[in-house]
Amino acid sequence: PTPPPGSLFCSEGLLDYFENTEWDIFCTRNRPKLTDSYTEDTWMKLRDAVSAIQNSTSIKYNLEELYQAVENLCSYKVSPVLYKQLRQVCEDHVQAQIHQFREYPSSSLDSLSFLKRMNRCWQDHCSQTIMIRSIFLFLDRTYILQNSLLPSIWDTGLELFRTHIVSDGAVQSRTVEGILEQIERERNGETVDRSLLRSLLGMLSDLQVYKDSFEQRFLTETNRLYAAEGQRLMQERDVPEYLHHVARRLEEENDRVISYLDQSTQKPLITTVEKQLLGEHMNAILQKGLWMLLDENRVCELMLLYELLNKVKGGLTALLQAWRDYIKSFGGEIVSSPEKDKEMVQELLDFKDKMDHVTQRCFQRNDTFINAMKEAFESFINKRPNKPAELIAKYVDSKLRAGNKEATEEELERILDKIMIIFRFIHGKDVFEAFYKKDLAKRLLVGKSASVDAEKSMLSKLKHECGAAFTSKLEGMFKDMELSKDIMIQFKQVCADTYSLTHKMVKLQEVFKLFYLGKHSGRKLQWQPTLGHAVLKTEFKEGKKELQVSLFQTLVLLMFNESDECSVEEIRAATGIEDGELKRTLQSLACGKARVLNKMPRGKDVEDADRFHFNSDFRHKLFRIKINQIQMKETVEEQVSTTERVFQDRQYQIDAAVVRIMKMRKTLSHNLLVSELYNQLKFPVKPADLKKRIESLIDRDYMERDKENPNQYHYVA
């Protein structure tokens, strides 16, 4: 049978064809007899073919004929000799190639041409070995394959090239130095022949000398380069610019691995770059740049900083600590400055929003960073006891008070949610409760609440956060307001049946007192004149109007039923209103938007010499007009009073907790009692304060000291 067309070395399937049974029978019948002359002639023919391949000249013989000659020799058991002779021919050829490299000029300018010659020699050697192997394929697949100690023809070719060319000290050194020089040029921004580098480094890898001859020197040079570069650039560039440079360098090195370096080099290479550009300068980067990046809200650079430090051992730990220190420092400045008290809560909310944005966008919502942020907020916000709690309560009051047009209902709800986040960090929640309760009472009694729904929403949030006991008194205020409305409806019905509207207000007050106490025996009715209000029917030239005014405004306006003009002194003597409150009341009636009184002389402030007369020319588009009383700011005395009330409430809570614990445990040491108290009390307290309360309870016979051990207490039933 005729062999399939085409050259032998182009199809591995051809060997299977030659091993076909019919072909084997054909070859056996037609195989020439082995003689010394035949063997010698056949080898000469094969050697000429190998020489032609090595010298890149044409082969005189048909490739199938050469293949058949090899098979014939192998069949006559001369494979060992054939293999030995083939190896010798190949070795002689490779040895002859070394001279072109030893004699090559040593000028640095010729390093690139040297690399190109080395690459050309390597490429020729590979193609020649493939061609030779295709002719001697039968030898490779039979005799060599059956002898495990013998390398294949391909491996023999690699071994010879490694032994006689690449392992030559001068040649190897020059090759590696040339490759390193090209890589350094590329790192400096020059364009190099990447395909050449890929081929030469692939050669070193195939010859199994890549790690020993190249990689170690390459990593050493890389370490030296980036160590110097890191030191220089940390001095010359700011942190954002430096971070972008590091990211670009890492991208470049990864690209080199993809383009021409061996894959095994990637990990040690990237580790070296990260160590020299990041690890060695990690603290300097954080000290020099983190606070600036956070102050300027540089989101992109913060994101890059997190990604880069995440690659370095201990990087995120260092970033976490620096992040925590920044929050404590920045937040501490907000809280500890009394001159910033007016803006404290808004600045805290803005700061929290900013830090939340950083954790979500830049720190990949890392739970460790989120928890560190919460701990830092809790730490700095309680460095100044009580004041943040007081100001948060007042901030809530400003948002829930009528007249706040800054936010819609949805925006107000979001603001309250943010306030609750800040509220969670506060230890002295009872201080917040005291001020919030006082402000809520004012809003409800004066009718200044912007929205009942918003008020109840805030109560719901507080209840969810602190429990029902915390909000029970606050919820009771709303019940009292509902009850008050019902009582007023009933009282007006009684007045309609019994008294005329011309009765004096004092008489009506007494009537209401009798009415109220008649319905609720055992209660004490206390009047708060500063929080009262009334509706006055008034006649102007334009027509009748109703004025919704406070009690003090009512007393002032009623005087003008008897007189057209009154002085400040006359009004003060007739009403008995305190001087500061009186001037604010007159200011609201004569200097505000609804001026139902005229002041002489004109001006915004009320002086003792001023005189007032009824403004009959007053005009307004509404029938019922609400004239707001000018509110007096909270006095220092009120603040002190509220704080003292909180302190007193805390003493009662401490006493109750001590008695409760001792009643259950009967006998307890001082340290264990203090430990139990810290677990039960929900506000910060000093050990000295606990000791005072314990001494007070001992004096009042709730407990006693052990006679033998003064640090031991016994409960007294």
Side-chain angles (χ1 to χ4, degrees):
T2 304
S7 59
L8 282 167
F9 57 89
C10 291
S11 174
E12 292 291 339
L14 189 57
L15 178 63
D16 297 331
Y17 181 83
F18 286 143
E19 292 173 348
N20 181 274
T21 304
E22 294 183 5
W23 176 258
D24 188 53
I25 295 172
F26 173 81
C27 293
T28 302
R29 290 175 179 173
N30 295 278
R31 183 173 294 137
K33 292 182 179 180
L34 179 64
T35 62
D36 291 342
S37 175
Y38 172 78
T39 303
E40 183 65 24
D41 292 344
T42 303
W43 166 242
M44 291 297 294
K45 185 188 299 184
L46 292 171
R47 188 180 62 183
D48 289 345
V50 171
S51 178
I53 292 171
Q54 292 172 338
N55 295 316
S56 302
T57 59
S58 59
I59 303 174
K60 299 178 182 179
Y61 310 102
N62 181 276
L63 293 178
E64 285 81 355
E65 181 182 347
L66 294 172
Y67 179 88
Q68 183 61 53
V70 172
E71 183 180 356
N72 290 339
L73 292 177
C74 291
S75 300
Y76 290 131
K77 310 300 182 184
V78 294
S79 299
V81 177
L82 182 61
Y83 175 77
K84 184 177 180 181
Q85 290 175 330
L86 175 62
R87 178 184 174 90
Q88 188 61 51
V89 171
C90 292
E91 187 169 13
D92 292 342
H93 175 74
V94 172
Q95 283 180 327
Q97 302 301 311
I98 191 65
H99 302 295
Q100 62 177 315
F101 299 110
R102 288 176 177 171
E103 298 169 358
Y104 204 84
S106 59
S107 171
S108 60
L109 297 175
D110 297 316
S111 63
L112 179 59
S113 59
F114 179 88
L115 293 179
K116 289 181 177 179
R117 175 169 290 190
M118 174 60 70
N119 183 56
R120 186 165 56 251
C121 180
W122 165 248
Q123 296 295 338
D124 290 345
H125 178 76
C126 290
S127 61
Q128 292 163 7
T129 304
I130 291 172
M131 178 74 85
I132 292 170
R133 177 179 178 271
S134 66
I135 295 174
F136 289 85
L137 190 60
F138 192 88
L139 176 68
D140 202 37
R141 290 291 188 86
T142 55
Y143 171 71
I144 297 175
L145 187 62
Q146 293 166 4
N147 290 270
S148 59
L149 298 179
L150 296 178
S152 67
I153 294 175
W154 174 257
D155 290 339
T156 299
L158 296 181
E159 177 192 334
L160 294 175
F161 198 89
R162 178 175 61 247
T163 302
H164 297 292
I165 296 182
V166 174
S167 293
D168 183 272
V171 175
Q172 183 183 107
S173 176
R174 192 164 181 185
T175 302
V176 171
E177 286 176 0
I179 294 172
L180 292 175
E181 180 184 342
Q182 292 299 305
I183 294 175
E184 184 175 0
R185 286 176 179 273
E186 187 180 48
R187 283 173 169 166
N188 291 333
E190 297 182 30
T191 302
V192 299
D193 187 348
R194 285 191 160 195
S195 61
L196 174 63
L197 294 177
R198 180 166 58 250
S199 177
L200 290 172
L201 290 172
M203 173 191 75
L204 297 179
S205 181
D206 290 341
L207 297 177
Q208 299 179 356
V209 296
Y210 177 88
K211 284 190 175 296
D212 295 335
S213 66
F214 170 77
E215 187 177 77
Q216 291 302 320
R217 287 192 60 184
F218 171 67
L219 293 176
T220 301
E221 290 299 313
T222 300
N223 191 74
R224 178 191 59 78
L225 169 71
Y226 286 121
E229 183 173 280
Q231 291 286 351
R232 186 181 77 257
L233 295 183
M234 277 301 296
Q235 300 295 326
E236 297 175 356
R237 301 186 180 184
D238 59 16
V239 170
E241 188 179 0
Y242 183 81
L243 292 175
H244 285 292
H245 174 79
V246 174
R248 186 171 61 254
R249 280 301 201 188
L250 288 171
E251 185 179 353
E252 290 173 358
E253 297 302 335
N254 275 306
D255 185 51
R256 286 189 184 93
V257 174
I258 295 171
S259 298
Y260 52 78
L261 294 172
D262 191 86
Q263 191 65 34
S264 63
T265 306
Q266 182 176 31
K267 185 174 181 180
L269 170 61
I270 299 304
T271 301
T272 300
V273 179
E274 290 171 349
K275 178 178 182 295
Q276 293 303 332
L277 295 184
L278 291 172
E280 295 295 330
H281 307 286
M282 184 164 55
N283 292 330
I285 291 171
L286 293 173
Q287 292 172 6
K288 183 180 177 182
L290 177 62
W291 288 31
M292 179 268 289
L293 295 178
L294 290 168
D295 285 341
E296 297 179 6
N297 201 27
R298 302 281 287 271
V299 174
C300 293
E301 284 75 15
L302 285 169
M303 189 184 307
L304 181 59
L305 176 65
Y306 179 87
E307 292 173 355
L308 292 175
L309 292 184
N310 194 23
K311 302 173 183 293
V312 184
K313 183 179 181 181
L316 287 190
T317 302
L319 176 60
L320 181 70
Q321 184 58 48
W323 153 260
R324 185 187 289 115
D325 292 343
Y326 172 82
I327 294 175
K328 289 181 179 179
S329 175
F330 193 95
E333 291 181 6
I334 296 175
V335 171
S336 61
S337 304
E339 62 274 10
K340 293 184 178 181
D341 282 355
K342 290 183 179 180
E343 298 83 23
M344 179 196 292
V345 179
Q346 187 58 54
E347 288 189 10
L348 285 175
L349 292 174
D350 294 341
F351 184 49
K352 183 62 169 56
D353 283 345
K354 182 178 177 180
M355 295 299 97
D356 284 339
H357 184 68
V358 171
T359 54
Q360 292 174 8
R361 285 286 308 279
C362 308
F363 297 163
Q364 300 177 6
R365 300 183 181 180
N366 188 315
D367 288 339
T368 306
F369 280 79
I370 293 174
N371 293 333
M373 176 181 64
K374 292 178 180 178
E375 293 170 5
F377 264 84
E378 185 174 357
S379 173
F380 77 71
I381 208 169
N382 290 291
K383 286 291 179 66
R384 187 181 177 191
N386 300 338
K387 197 63 180 179
E390 172 190 337
L391 294 177
I392 289 173
K394 292 178 179 178
Y395 184 85
V396 175
D397 176 60
S398 71
K399 297 300 179 183
L400 294 179
R401 193 185 306 148
N404 173 33
K405 299 179 181 179
E406 299 176 4
T408 63
E409 290 185 5
E410 293 78 9
E411 292 171 339
L412 179 58
E413 187 69 18
R414 285 195 293 271
I415 291 172
L416 295 180
D417 286 335
K418 291 179 179 179
I419 290 173
M420 289 306 300
I421 295 174
I422 301 297
F423 172 76
R424 292 189 186 106
F425 300 133
I426 296 172
H427 290 166
K429 290 182 171 59
D430 52 343
V431 175
F432 172 89
E433 180 192 12
F435 282 94
Y436 184 83
K437 182 167 60 178
K438 175 173 66 67
D439 292 333
L440 175 62
K442 286 184 178 180
R443 291 197 300 274
L444 294 179
L445 291 174
V446 183
K448 285 284 188 179
S449 180
S451 166
V452 175
D453 290 338
E455 295 282 6
K456 291 186 176 180
S457 174
M458 185 63 188
L459 280 184
S460 176
K461 298 179 194 300
L462 291 171
K463 187 174 184 178
H464 181 268
E465 184 66 29
C466 303
F470 187 87
T471 58
S472 59
K473 294 180 180 178
L474 303 177
E475 291 172 330
M477 292 183 179
F478 285 91
K479 296 177 182 178
D480 290 344
M481 291 301 296
E482 295 295 328
L483 181 62
S484 176
K485 289 180 181 178
D486 294 339
I487 292 174
M488 287 306 300
I489 291 172
Q490 297 175 26
F491 176 67
K492 288 178 180 178
Q493 291 173 348
V494 172
C495 288
D497 296 335
T498 311
Y499 303 98
S500 67
L501 295 175
T502 58
H503 284 203
K504 299 295 184 182
M505 294 178 69
V506 175
K507 181 63 177 177
L508 286 174
Q509 218 175 43
E510 290 299 323
V511 171
F512 179 82
K513 182 177 181 180
L514 293 173
F515 167 77
Y516 182 84
L517 295 179
K519 292 182 69 68
H520 304 284
S521 61
R523 290 191 181 182
K524 179 182 178 182
L525 187 62
Q526 184 175 352
W527 295 94
Q528 293 287 343
T530 59
L531 301 177
H533 60 275
V535 177
L536 297 181
K537 292 183 178 180
T538 314
E539 290 189 17
F540 299 100
K541 291 181 179 179
E542 185 186 33
K544 293 183 178 180
K545 300 283 185 182
E546 288 186 357
L547 302 179
Q548 187 175 344
V549 290
S550 69
L551 177 60
F552 290 159
Q553 290 171 327
T554 301
L555 295 177
V556 171
L557 290 174
L558 288 176
M559 290 188 63
F560 291 90
N561 283 335
E562 308 295 334
S563 175
D564 291 335
E565 185 176 307
C566 297
S567 67
V568 173
E569 185 57 38
E570 290 171 343
I571 297 173
R572 182 187 297 116
T575 61
I577 301 174
E578 183 268 332
D579 188 61
E581 189 68 49
L582 176 60
K583 288 184 177 181
R584 284 192 295 275
T585 301
L586 290 170
Q587 200 173 18
S588 67
L589 296 172
C591 305
K593 293 181 179 180
R595 300 185 180 186
V596 294
L597 297 181
N598 287 329
K599 183 176 83 72
M600 296 299 295
R602 294 179 177 277
K604 292 184 177 180
D605 297 323
V606 175
E607 305 295 340
D608 289 340
D610 292 346
R611 300 188 67 81
F612 297 84
H613 62 84
F614 182 68
N615 180 15
S616 59
D617 296 325
F618 175 77
R619 293 174 177 274
H620 202 281
K621 62 181 180 179
L622 299 178
F623 174 73
R624 173 172 286 194
I625 305 145
K626 184 176 183 180
I627 303 177
N628 292 323
Q629 175 79 18
I630 296 176
Q631 297 291 323
M632 181 178 65
K633 295 183 179 178
E634 185 180 48
T635 63
V636 176
E637 290 77 11
E638 284 182 309
Q639 291 185 2
V640 172
S641 174
T642 304
T643 304
E644 288 179 351
R645 189 165 66 253
V646 171
F647 179 74
Q648 189 65 45
D649 289 343
R650 286 183 175 180
Q651 287 188 324
Y652 294 149
Q653 292 183 51
I654 294 172
D655 289 354
V658 172
V659 172
R660 186 166 57 249
I661 293 169
M662 291 304 301
K663 186 175 182 180
M664 180 176 66
R665 303 292 288 274
K666 305 301 181 186
T667 299
L668 207 59
S669 68
H670 177 79
N671 290 338
L672 288 176
L673 176 57
V674 170
S675 178
E676 288 279 353
L677 287 170
Y678 277 125
N679 289 334
Q680 291 196 16
L681 297 174
K682 297 181 179 179
F683 50 84
V685 60
K686 299 178 181 177
D689 294 335
L690 294 179
K691 188 174 181 180
K692 289 179 182 178
R693 301 317 307 158
I694 293 172
E695 294 293 341
S696 173
L697 290 171
I698 292 174
D699 293 341
R700 288 180 283 162
D701 295 330
Y702 282 95
M703 52 194 292
E704 63 182 7
R705 294 185 187 274
D706 188 270
K707 295 179 180 179
E708 297 180 358
N709 183 2
N711 286 326
Q712 192 89 0
Y713 302 121
H714 300 290
Y715 176 69
V716 177

